[in-house]
Amino acid sequence: MSHEDSPPVLKAEHPAGHQGSGPARPRRTDGRKTPTTSSPGRPRIAALDVLRGFALCGILLVNVKPIANVDVGHVVVDSPAGPEGAWLGLLVDQRFFPIFSLLFGIGFALLLNSATDRAAAPRTLLLRRLLVLLGMGLAHMFLLWRGDILTVYAVIGLLVLLPSTWLPRWAVAGLAPVLLAAPLIAGQNGIVLVPGLLLLGSALVRYGVIDRMEQSTRVPAVLGLVFAAGAVPALWWQVGLAGDTNDPGFGLSMAVAGLLLAGVYVCVLLVLLRTPLRPALRAVFAPLGRMALTNYLTATILVLATGHVLGGSPESWSLATVFLIAGAILSAQWLLSTLWLRRYRYGPLEWLWRWATWAQRPPLRRSP
């Protein structure tokens, strides 16, 4: 879930005990040769933490009812019924998982660059990382909630992302829109869009877009206007089909509008991060984003606990109740994340995931 997962380098040693001798290192994912000596981990990209925290908020808002309905025997994915929930279907449903999926692909490619610089077998490290994520996702799915997304990311990562590291970047960039367009042409939405989004995130890293993402205001502003111009008719299309959700076109309209509106959200945040609002945005969203894995999994426990306390059927919850639950959970997570990160480098589950990825225990406490 994190965009930077390289370990600290102690005494100029590589994570896997590699000292710079032996077989030649693999090439970086962007096609450049890699250095043969270790270097400190790359600094975090603040915009990615903000985007991840923002996406986490939207995902929780959508998932409150589905998680709380875990006892009904199926995964509920509908928005709150009636006029009060109509705008939620327009602005929130399927608008945030594309951002989260894109960020996962970005994080994977950034980690591959770090691993290529520091490990003798970087793809083995990535394989181990995905397998650990799969284990966490399966535990989450079978013990708490069947709507888990971590399992999806891990499986698609193993089947699509990891093999794509052997492809040239132009092939990845070309394959990403194909995998996005194919489900749309078939009238499908949701999880089937994830492979294309993961590859798109990887391609953005391999072409250096992510390294430059905070250097321009004009580019995200123009892209945001383009996305908005496409989102308006897509939302109109979705509204026109809202009376018949069984219409095959409804799912397509949801998917198209979701992708375009997700693009608008990302571009707006990138523009705002170039304004005096940057410190406030970082303070609000970055702590949640830096501990996204911990917060995603603990949110399920908190929603289930809230459901037991409130009692009754979650389907009867009003939109205001859903907002209050999500807001209370996110507020608690923000406070705990902020306090935790003052003393520790990573969230607890992020630290364990990093340890399992690199097979070396990283320091957890910050230096005094």
Side-chain angles (χ1 to χ4, degrees):
M1 309 279 279
S2 172
H3 67 266
E4 168 53 33
D5 208 20
S6 56
V9 181
L10 304 175
K11 300 181 180 179
E13 293 181 0
H14 296 274
H18 188 69
Q19 300 289 336
S21 60
R25 294 291 184 86
R27 295 179 65 87
R28 292 171 57 93
T29 56
D30 57 12
R32 293 175 291 170
K33 291 183 179 179
T34 61
T36 57
T37 59
S38 62
S39 59
R42 62 178 292 156
R44 298 187 69 90
I45 301 174
L48 296 181
D49 286 329
V50 171
L51 288 171
R52 190 176 294 108
F54 173 73
L56 195 71
C57 294
I59 287 172
L60 177 58
L61 186 61
V62 172
N63 284 344
V64 166
K65 278 195 173 183
I67 293 173
N69 271 284
V70 69
D71 293 330
V72 303
H74 62 280
V75 177
V76 178
V77 295
D78 295 332
S79 301
E84 69 169 6
W87 75 269
L88 195 66
L90 290 178
L91 301 179
V92 181
D93 282 358
Q94 298 197 37
R95 278 47 172 167
F96 290 91
F97 93 84
I99 302 176
F100 221 54
S101 301
L102 185 74
L103 291 171
F104 188 87
I106 290 171
F108 185 90
L110 289 174
L111 177 58
L112 178 58
N113 282 345
S114 294
T116 300
D117 287 343
R118 296 167 175 82
R123 291 182 179 88
T124 300
L125 182 148
L126 291 170
L127 173 62
R128 186 164 60 238
R129 181 173 180 79
L130 290 171
L131 290 175
V132 172
L133 183 65
L134 179 60
M136 288 191 287
L138 289 173
H140 183 224
M141 178 185 296
F142 287 111
L143 297 177
L144 295 173
W145 181 48
R146 282 183 288 170
D148 169 78
I149 194 64
L150 302 182
T151 305
V152 174
Y153 287 157
V155 171
I156 296 177
L158 291 168
L159 298 178
V160 177
L161 266 184
L162 190 58
S164 75
T165 62
W166 278 279
L167 297 176
R169 63 181 186 174
W170 61 264
V172 175
L175 190 58
V178 171
L179 291 181
L180 279 174
L184 297 178
I185 294 173
Q188 300 178 347
N189 60 4
I191 290 176
V192 292
L193 298 173
V194 171
L197 291 166
L198 297 188
L199 287 184
L200 178 59
S202 177
L204 290 176
V205 173
R206 296 176 71 167
Y207 275 93
V209 175
I210 300 304
D211 286 334
R212 303 189 299 270
M213 68 185 300
E214 293 197 82
Q215 298 176 7
S216 172
T217 303
R218 181 180 302 176
V219 172
V222 172
L223 280 177
L225 290 175
V226 172
F227 286 134
V232 169
L235 289 170
W236 187 264
W237 180 24
Q238 180 183 329
V239 170
L241 296 174
D244 184 10
T245 57
N246 293 322
D247 188 318
F250 179 73
L252 178 59
S253 68
M254 281 281 290
V256 173
L259 291 172
L260 291 171
L261 207 54
V264 172
Y265 291 161
V266 169
C267 291
V268 168
L269 276 175
L270 291 179
V271 170
L272 292 177
L273 283 170
R274 299 276 293 174
T275 72
L277 290 175
R278 179 184 178 88
L281 291 172
R282 289 191 64 177
V284 172
F285 294 116
L288 293 171
R290 290 185 63 183
M291 289 178 50
L293 178 61
T294 297
N295 289 328
Y296 172 76
L297 293 175
T298 56
T300 301
I301 299 173
L302 294 173
V303 171
L304 291 173
T306 302
H308 283 295
V309 170
L310 294 180
S313 171
E315 285 302 307
S316 65
W317 291 349
S318 66
L319 187 60
T321 300
V322 171
F323 263 94
L324 286 173
I325 293 172
I329 290 173
L330 289 169
S331 297
Q333 290 184 329
W334 175 84
L335 179 61
L336 291 174
S337 297
T338 301
L339 295 176
W340 179 276
L341 291 171
R342 287 179 182 176
R343 300 189 63 182
Y344 303 103
R345 298 170 183 266
Y346 325 105
L349 292 181
E350 286 76 10
W351 179 70
L352 292 173
W353 195 21
R354 177 184 293 255
W355 186 354
T357 296
W358 291 92
Q360 174 184 339
R361 186 176 67 179
L364 179 59
R365 285 185 173 273
R366 291 186 177 277
S367 301

